């Protein structure tokens, strides 16, 4: 959004995929390897799953708290997914971008469209596809955190989510996690080098060739 003193301009990296395509694993690995990247922690009205930590995976909030965030304009985007609401708090994102840091978002296609409308030039979006629907089901079942009816619901929604792949800048198939991670890092590297994201170049070139 804004450039900081060092001339770095933060970008917004969105990862979307149907549930179970490996996005959470990819996000964690990416954050471990990219120190300039900050995760946007969403708020949600869905209950925590076993092992999820409040403030790390999500901020788990009530419907009334969600309403008040929407009303006060504190969310950059929000959407209803699987009967619950999910949203991106605005302040931490704006702070990170102003400091020249990049922000990673794990949000669905509805949220991606809203961010695109608000900040197209800062947005880089990647859609992650599973290698097959059979593999997607296997991954959802292995996760064993959701009851069978929830898994069935997620499989039913997966096809609908996948239909939004053409709205993304990049599309990757997550066959091997290491390969997919390397591709995401290559995208991030190239996008950081785009001319408009290096505002310091103007002065640099002026001094180079006055
Ligand atoms: P889950 O319940 O499996 O953690 O997430 C369900 C879906 O909600 C995923 O597709 C995830 O990307 C999406 N999601 C998580 N946080 C947000 C958010 O803040 N905004 C939007 N639009 N989608 C989100």
């Amino acid at each position: 959004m804004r450039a900081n003193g060092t001339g770095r301009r933060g970008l917004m990296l969105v990862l979307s995929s149907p549930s179970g395509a490996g996005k959470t694993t990819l996000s964690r690995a990416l954050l471990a390897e990219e120190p300039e990247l900050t995760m946007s922690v969403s708020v949600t009205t869905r209950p925590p799953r076993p092992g999820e930590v409040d403030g790390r995976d999500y901020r788990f909030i009530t419907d009334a708290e969600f309403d008040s965030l929407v009303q006060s304009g504190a969310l950059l985007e929000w959407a209803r997914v699987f009967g619950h609401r999910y949203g991106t708090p605005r302040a931490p994102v704006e702070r990170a971008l102003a400091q020249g840091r990049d922000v990673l978002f794990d949000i669905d296609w509805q949220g991606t469209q809203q961010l695109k409308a608000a900040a197209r030039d800062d947005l880089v979006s990647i859609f992650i596809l599973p290698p097959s629907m059979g593999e997607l089901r296997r991954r959802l079942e292995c996760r064993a955190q959701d009851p069978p009816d929830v898994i069935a619901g997620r499989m039913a929604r997966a096809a609908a989510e996948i239909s939004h792949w053409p709205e993304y800048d990049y599309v990757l198939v997550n066959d091997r996690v290491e390969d997919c991670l390397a591709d995401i890092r290559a995208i991030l590297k190239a996008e950081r080098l785009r001319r408009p994201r290096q505002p310091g170049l103007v002065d640099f070139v002026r001094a180079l060739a006055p």
Side-chain angles (χ1 to χ4, degrees), residues 15-20 23-24 40-44 46-47 49 52 57-58 60 66 75 77-82 84-89 105-112 114 143 146 154 157 161:
L15 292 188
S16 295
S17 73
S19 187
K23 199 176 27 172
T24 307
S40 163
V41 179
S42 296
V43 291
T44 182
R46 93 151 156 72
R49 296 195 190 112
E52 283 185 329
D57 300 291
Y58 284 104
F60 298 96
F66 202 100
L75 300 181
E77 61 76 33
W78 70 271
R80 197 177 290 278
V81 186
F82 306 124
H84 295 291
R85 288 183 292 170
Y86 297 77
T88 302
F105 300 84
D106 171 346
I107 60 175
D108 80 334
W109 64 273
Q110 304 173 83
T112 307
Q114 293 171 51
R143 195 156 75 175
D146 291 315
R154 284 175 187 249
R157 279 217 42 169
E161 289 181 41

Side-chain angles (χ1 to χ4, degrees), residues 8-13 31 34 36-39 96-97 99-105 188 192 197:
R8 263 288 271 130
R9 183 181 162 94
L11 60 80
M12 301 161 78
L13 182 67
L31 288 165
E34 295 284 348
E36 293 290 305
L37 199 59
T38 303
M39 184 82 205
L97 293 176
Q99 290 166 354
R101 297 177 59 77
D102 302 320
V103 184
L104 179 64
F105 300 84
L188 186 57
R192 281 172 172 163
R197 300 212 171 95

Side-chain angles (χ1 to χ4, degrees), residues 61-137:
I61 63 174
T62 62
D63 269 311
E65 287 170 322
F66 202 100
D67 286 340
S68 106
L69 290 177
V70 171
Q71 275 152 26
S72 65
L75 300 181
L76 212 45
E77 61 76 33
W78 70 271
R80 197 177 290 278
V81 186
F82 306 124
H84 295 291
R85 288 183 292 170
Y86 297 77
T88 302
R90 181 188 300 276
V93 174
E94 291 187 342
R95 202 162 42 236
L97 293 176
Q99 290 166 354
R101 297 177 59 77
D102 302 320
V103 184
L104 179 64
F105 300 84
D106 171 346
I107 60 175
D108 80 334
W109 64 273
Q110 304 173 83
T112 307
Q113 285 191 347
Q114 293 171 51
L115 290 190
K116 208 191 262 186
R120 181 65 191 105
D121 291 346
D122 296 316
L123 195 75
V124 178
S125 61
I126 306 179
F127 198 87
I128 313 278
L129 291 169
S132 67
M133 292 311 262
E135 177 61 18
L136 186 71
R137 174 180 288 281

